[in-house]
Amino acid sequence: MKFDTIIMGGGLSGLTCGIALARTGKRVAIVAGGQNTLHFFGGSFELLGNVDGADVTNPLEAISSLDQQHPYSKMGHEQVAQLAEQAKSLLGDAGIKTSGDSARNHYRITPLGVTKPAWLTLDGLATTDRPDSLPWKKVALINLESFIDYPIDFVVEGLRALNTTVEMPTVTLECIKRARRSATEMRATNLAKVFTNTRNVAQLAEAINAVAGDVDAVLMPAVVGIDNEDASDILKAQVEKPMYFLPTLPPSVSGVRINAALRHYFQMLGGRFLLGDTVDKATLEGDRVTRVNTAKLQDTPLEADQYVLATGSFMSKGLVSNFERVYEPLLDLDTNAPKEHAQWSQFGLMGDQPFMSYGVMTDEHFRPLKDGKPLSNVYAIGQVLGGHNPLTLGDGTGVSLLTALAVAQNILDQK
Amino acid sequence: MATTQLTSISDHNFEQCLKCSICTVYCPVAAVNPAYPGPKQAGPDGERYRLKDPKFFDEALKLCLNCKRCEVACPSDVRIGDLIQQARMKHTTHRPKLRDMMLANTDLVGSMATIVAPITNFSLGLKPVKVVMDAVMAIDKHRTFPAYSAQKFEAWYRKNAQAQQDKFAHHVSYFHGCYVNYNFPQLGKDLVTVMNAVGYGVHLLDKEKCCGVALIANGMYQQARKQGEVNMASMRKSINQMRRPIITTSSTCTFTMRDEYPELLGVNNDNVREHLSLATRFLFQLIDEGEVKLAFRPDFKMRVAYHTACHMQRMGWAIYSTELLRMIPGLELVELDQNCCGISGTYGFKKENYETSQAIGSILFADIEAAKPDYVSTDCETCKWQIEMSTGVKVLNPISILAQAIDVEATQKLNGVR
Ligand code: SF4
Ligand code: SF4
């Protein structure tokens, strides 16, 4: 089977790169093994949140202080600024509406009720301009009875620390009780399926109006509408007070929706999406990959002019570690992980974990290095890349989006 | 105990579970029916308890469609659907009812029905009969039964096609399945047309039994195993003695014989599995390797919405069918988002499941209506019933579309067929 480009990995960066290429009429196939880390997405994209332990105000300016190995350093200030705009409009074209500015971070509220710098936040989610206060004096945080997988006490404590009075009225509904009969957990996505039904949404609105009281805004966990915005739009229209959603623990409703929206858009553009399949072999001739084989298509090799590695980090097995080393399992590409095992991680869960910045090394066009030399028709994008750190730098989703677009541009520039 | 641990772990990867709950997001049953615990709970979580004590087995597991959408979604390759089916197989005390036996024995009931097809079709469509079936048999009265054909595919084949098959340079055996034999022989005829056009003779297997998918779903494992052994013996003969690979036109039969036989039933399919393929995949590979060519009719025009059947998705083979359809110049293809149609073989025929079944399918039906296609295409026959009943849009197997789109004479010429 022949394509112009084959992308290995169907998460945020793989889909973004696929869309950018398919839009220009390229024949693109994405091989995606299982669902991806978008399901852990909180609802905000970050470009650059922290440098040297301090919050970043202007991400575009702060790029100059990054290490030379950082993906943004390879693009340079101008390209980062331009691709950031392109990313925002691509998301919009896929039906994902966001607000935010690459030259000025705002603050998102994490699922545990803490503020963190963010670049783009999905419309409808609560945000604030400052790390230490909310735009409202008094809010009602709706406590959905039976939503046991929501750490509401943490969130209330977090919000109260932001100079806001927080009420926590409880809402009980028959439809939630019915769903609760299931022996499964009560995750955000389970509830979102209940609140896709417009009758249930109307009941929810009525119940919220009855308990909200005299507040500036109503906040509630993002558990409304699994497939699209319709249900949450209806709810917001029916709730009398201004209303905003807060992100939840995974799997998140925003993540499921973004994933579906991007995939739908990619396929609408003619892209081929091979879900539940993985590339298990890449044939290398000299410095070129000539074909790949997947677990499910076995004796049908996939061939393309370019191959994009978007296989993610350790969790998605784009990187693997054993007792001896950290390696990239498909092509055994060069990584920036030190040989010494002891340096991989530090004690304490929240500390700077060096292994989070491990990944494959590339040249300035994001072509990965093997034995010190770049492969000529392979590119690496997203979390498989080394030299950045989603935990300490707050650059995870930004790196995924921007490297995807940069590589799409590099591929298109070739001819 | 030690052996239980060992086999379970190596069997279905259940210890790989990260507890991320992504599987539950994509389970069509958990989405609409709170009585079902969902894949994570029914699969890897429940398995831990069941290994300790079988009394933790929950009869609600029979609500699983065995669609395997959870497995496709799982980032850790846990074979959740297999775990659930195996638990049912090991622990259930529930005995199949007469209704389940009838629904499951697709070939037995099919044979009887064909003999009296006009009467069966007439009476299956009749209101009072449906009400009786609803009340006595618990087969939902809203269901339209697939019509039974007056002439079985095998009979048509022997009379009209068999004699010409030996003249071709290449040969395949065709596992037609119950649906083609009893309900829709046209698909079998279309397959013969297409394969003959590219220079392949089509033959029946020595002995063909129902693949057993409905038997597995209804808990009749012994019988499924027996039928599996018969099929494997016929296929081995076809492969080893006649050098004929086997093709099918049903994604579910293919999946059952390639994957459920060894994984669930313990039926050995070594040396058969790699020679057993779906017709669209077989054809695509021949074209991809330059072995055969297709010539299309210049006047062919059709807007098609392709639905990926659950087992097609599990096999990862939808791409073969869609790439084949995309080769047709006058065909405009819309790929529908991946959603289950809700029928899952005999599941949706049961009264207790009707509502769940239609609720599951509603997303897909809305997508189909929005796409405004001339036809829906899918590789599964039960999806065809469900979609036709629920949307009114006609459904064609990709092979039938191909049979309409190719210029048979020109294709024969291209492939040196006289
Ligand atoms: S998706 Fe897989 S890893 Fe996640 S909970 Fe389900 S079985 Fe476990
Ligand atoms: S096989 Fe289908 S119905 Fe059964 S648990 Fe998995 S997703 Fe749900």
Side-chain angles (χ1 to χ4, degrees):
Chain A
M1 232 177 259
K2 290 184 191 63
F3 301 95
D4 293 325
T5 308
I6 291 168
I7 300 174
M8 296 165 266
L12 180 61
S13 62
L15 279 165
T16 305
C17 186
I19 288 170
L21 289 170
R23 268 177 163 184
T24 68
K26 292 265 177 197
R27 278 169 54 89
V28 189
I30 295 180
V31 185
Q35 292 294 354
N36 52 65
T37 38
L38 263 176
H39 291 72
F40 295 75
F41 177 76
S44 296
F45 298 93
E46 61 225 317
L47 197 54
L48 187 58
N50 303 79
V51 169
D52 299 328
D55 287 0
V56 166
T57 317
N58 182 339
L60 293 182
E61 264 173 18
I63 283 166
S64 54
S65 58
L66 292 172
D67 185 272
Q68 276 314 300
Q69 287 307 311
H70 194 285
Y72 295 158
S73 304
K74 292 184 173 151
M75 298 176 196
H77 180 277
E78 215 167 288
Q79 200 188 7
V80 169
Q82 181 222 327
L83 293 181
E85 284 314 303
Q86 205 180 314
K88 186 176 172 180
S89 76
L90 181 145
L91 290 170
D93 294 342
I96 303 160
K97 283 167 274 164
T98 59
S99 303
D101 180 353
S102 54
R104 200 181 124 75
N105 275 334
H106 60 269
Y107 283 83
R108 66 184 170 105
I109 298 159
T110 70
L112 295 176
V114 180
T115 55
K116 284 252 165 81
W119 157 42
L120 297 174
T121 293
L122 297 185
D123 286 358
L125 289 176
T127 58
T128 174
D129 281 339
R130 303 166 46 95
D132 52 3
S133 73
L134 287 179
W136 314 284
K137 292 226 155 33
K138 188 174 174 192
V139 298
L141 171 60
I142 303 297
N143 178 27
L144 290 171
E145 198 190 328
S146 303
F147 186 17
I148 48 172
D149 287 333
Y150 187 64
I152 193 154
D153 295 330
F154 280 91
V155 180
V156 168
E157 202 180 310
L159 298 181
R160 287 195 175 135
L162 301 172
N163 297 313
T164 302
T165 307
V166 184
E167 308 275 340
M168 199 179 69
T170 298
V171 161
T172 312
L173 288 174
E174 266 318 302
C175 55
I176 311 183
K177 281 202 192 133
R178 189 178 116 87
R180 187 66 203 114
R181 287 213 308 266
S182 173
T184 194
E185 316 99 318
M186 214 7 106
R187 305 272 178 128
T189 42
N190 299 56
L191 273 178
K193 288 175 187 171
V194 175
F195 293 124
T196 294
N197 178 316
T198 42
R199 236 178 314 134
N200 296 344
V201 173
Q203 283 172 12
L204 176 62
E206 206 176 301
I208 291 176
N209 287 333
V211 297
D214 181 26
V215 291
D216 304 321
V218 170
L219 304 180
M220 84 170 260
V223 295
V224 180
I226 191 87
D227 306 309
N228 52 44
E229 312 288 315
D230 296 356
S232 49
D233 288 346
I234 292 173
L235 181 68
K236 275 190 288 184
Q238 292 179 357
V239 169
E240 287 153 11
K241 301 278 174 197
M243 152 149 206
Y244 302 91
F245 292 106
L246 294 175
T248 64
L249 295 172
S252 79
V253 174
S254 326
V256 171
R257 259 195 236 152
I258 290 185
N259 182 46
L262 290 173
R263 204 167 100 194
H264 180 85
Y265 187 41
F266 174 68
Q267 288 192 303
M268 217 180 75
L269 294 166
R272 301 353 185 219
F273 195 89
L274 284 79
L275 179 66
D277 204 354
T278 35
V279 169
D280 51 15
K281 187 171 154 233
T283 306
L284 201 59
E285 284 174 24
D287 65 356
R288 294 178 65 79
V289 168
T290 52
R291 54 168 57 185
V292 294
N293 289 80
T294 77
K296 302 240 165 105
L297 303 184
Q298 288 172 338
D299 41 356
T300 310
L302 305 183
E303 295 168 45
D305 297 334
Q306 299 93 10
Y307 300 82
V308 179
L309 193 69
T311 43
S313 181
F314 294 98
M315 215 198 103
S316 346
K317 303 191 186 76
L319 297 170
V320 179
S321 66
N322 60 19
F323 288 106
E324 277 154 17
R325 59 187 195 122
V326 168
Y327 63 99
E328 185 286 309
L330 192 61
L331 286 157
D332 200 9
L333 301 168
D334 298 353
T335 73
N336 62 343
K339 295 260 170 331
E340 285 298 310
H341 199 173
Q343 295 172 25
W344 289 0
S345 61
Q346 291 179 358
F347 287 108
L349 204 59
M350 294 302 168
D352 177 9
Q353 295 297 346
F355 75 88
M356 288 297 294
S357 63
Y358 297 163
V360 306
M361 298 207 284
T362 72
D363 70 359
E364 71 278 17
H365 304 293
F366 297 105
R367 294 182 305 185
L369 307 183
K370 188 169 167 63
D371 305 322
K373 284 200 259 2
L375 297 179
S376 66
N377 67 340
V378 180
Y379 297 87
I381 60 176
Q383 303 307 304
V384 74
L385 289 170
H388 76 109
N389 193 326
L391 280 188
T392 53
L393 295 173
D395 60 3
T397 40
V399 165
S400 290
L401 286 169
L402 268 52
T403 54
L405 293 174
V407 161
Q409 197 57 56
N410 289 344
I411 288 173
L412 293 172
D413 284 347
Q414 280 186 3
K415 284 170 223 161
Chain B
M1 214 53 221
T3 52
T4 331
Q5 284 276 342
L6 268 179
T7 47
S8 308
I9 286 171
S10 58
D11 267 6
H12 305 299
N13 255 355
F14 96 92
E15 89 290 8
Q16 293 291 325
C17 175
L18 304 166
K19 309 293 166 206
C20 69
S21 272
I22 287 177
C23 49
T24 305
V25 177
Y26 294 95
C27 171
V29 181
V32 296
N33 187 353
Y36 184 57
K40 173 168 173 280
Q41 182 67 33
D45 286 3
E47 189 65 10
R48 268 174 217 283
Y49 289 109
R50 294 190 290 264
L51 280 177
K52 287 203 190 96
D53 189 337
K55 81 164 188 287
F56 286 107
F57 175 74
D58 179 357
E59 287 289 348
L61 262 56
K62 70 164 184 281
L63 294 171
C64 167
L65 294 170
N66 199 21
C67 69
K68 316 269 188 198
R69 289 198 179 253
C70 50
E71 293 186 2
V72 176
C74 174
S76 306
D77 207 16
V78 179
R79 291 197 280 284
I80 312 156
D82 289 355
L83 278 168
I84 295 171
Q85 291 312 312
Q86 197 169 58
R88 285 187 59 197
M89 197 181 273
K90 244 201 293 211
H91 303 299
T92 189
T93 50
H94 167 93
R95 289 179 48 93
K97 299 189 239 185
L98 172 66
R99 187 263 333 250
D100 296 0
M101 287 198 191
M102 283 197 61
L103 283 174
N105 276 284
T106 45
D107 45 4
L108 180 68
V109 178
S111 312
M112 295 190 319
T114 315
I115 302 169
V116 290
I119 310 166
T120 320
N121 290 335
F122 176 67
S123 57
L124 285 177
L126 222 59
K127 268 253 168 62
V129 176
K130 283 191 173 185
V131 174
V132 170
M133 288 208 296
D134 187 286
V136 181
M137 303 272 289
I139 290 172
D140 196 277
K141 62 171 175 290
H142 299 95
R143 283 280 159 220
T144 323
F145 263 83
Y148 284 100
S149 163
Q151 189 188 33
K152 285 199 282 185
F153 170 72
E154 287 188 358
W156 171 87
Y157 174 86
R158 293 212 167 87
K159 199 158 155 229
N160 303 289
Q162 192 165 29
Q164 295 104 55
Q165 300 307 312
D166 285 335
K167 72 171 191 198
F168 293 96
H170 310 280
H171 300 275
V172 289
S173 294
Y174 177 40
F175 181 95
H176 48 68
C178 305
Y179 164 74
V180 164
N181 206 24
Y182 304 114
N183 303 112
F184 199 60
Q186 186 57 41
L187 173 54
K189 297 177 195 172
D190 291 340
L191 179 93
V192 174
T193 305
V194 174
M195 295 312 292
N196 284 178
V198 297
Y200 276 72
V202 177
H203 306 267
L204 300 183
L205 287 166
D206 241 16
K207 253 196 196 141
E208 175 181 323
K209 290 273 182 195
C210 168
C211 69
V213 68
L215 294 167
I216 298 173
N218 288 288
M220 284 169 260
Y221 307 112
Q222 274 310 344
Q223 197 188 337
R225 221 167 265 138
K226 257 196 239 148
Q227 298 189 179
E229 299 293 358
V230 173
N231 286 331
M232 289 304 102
S234 305
M235 290 185 186
R236 284 206 174 88
K237 188 168 170 206
S238 167
I239 295 160
N240 297 335
Q241 294 177 20
M242 343 266 255
R243 306 279 153 213
R244 292 174 190 161
I246 296 104
I247 60 175
T248 77
T249 40
S250 156
S251 51
T252 290
C253 302
T254 312
F255 174 72
T256 303
M257 295 189 290
R258 281 176 52 103
D259 295 327
E260 303 276 69
Y261 277 12
E263 293 282 338
L264 275 183
L265 294 177
V267 170
N268 180 337
N269 67 3
D270 288 356
N271 307 326
V272 174
R273 192 172 186 276
E274 63 273 30
H275 302 289
L276 170 58
S277 193
L278 197 64
T280 54
R281 174 174 181 258
F282 189 81
L283 259 179
F284 178 88
Q285 289 181 328
L286 287 178
I287 296 169
D288 201 37
E289 287 155 14
E291 301 284 329
V292 308
K293 289 191 176 63
L294 298 176
F296 295 99
R297 284 176 22 206
D299 57 341
F300 183 84
K301 285 257 169 313
M302 194 186 272
R303 181 173 162 84
V304 174
Y306 183 81
H307 162 65
T308 306
C310 295
H311 292 156
M312 195 69 175
Q313 191 189 55
R314 179 67 183 87
M315 287 193 290
W317 285 4
I319 185 99
Y320 292 116
S321 292
T322 50
E323 290 301 289
L324 209 52
L325 289 173
R326 283 182 213 267
M327 288 176 194
I328 304 172
L331 188 140
E332 200 188 330
L333 186 73
V334 184
E335 275 190 67
L336 295 163
D337 287 342
Q338 311 258 346
N339 285 299
C340 175
C341 76
I343 186 101
S344 201
T346 56
Y347 184 95
F349 278 90
K350 298 177 188 173
K351 187 181 162 105
E352 67 271 24
N353 296 337
Y354 179 79
E355 222 175 283
T356 305
S357 167
Q358 295 310 105
I360 291 172
S362 60
I363 310 171
L364 174 71
F365 307 149
D367 276 1
I368 291 175
E369 264 151 46
K372 298 198 175 26
D374 300 327
Y375 291 94
V376 168
S377 183
T378 183
D379 288 272
C380 171
E381 57 270 25
T382 55
C383 298
K384 174 179 155 86
W385 302 338
Q386 171 79 338
I387 293 171
E388 289 184 343
M389 182 198 93
S390 310
T391 66
V393 182
K394 278 264 165 254
V395 180
L396 291 176
N397 186 289
I399 292 294
S400 294
I401 294 181
L402 221 53
Q404 292 182 28
I406 57 172
D407 178 331
V408 172
E409 262 173 48
T411 303
Q412 282 178 333
K413 217 187 251 162
L414 273 180
N415 296 289
V417 182
R418 274 167 313 245

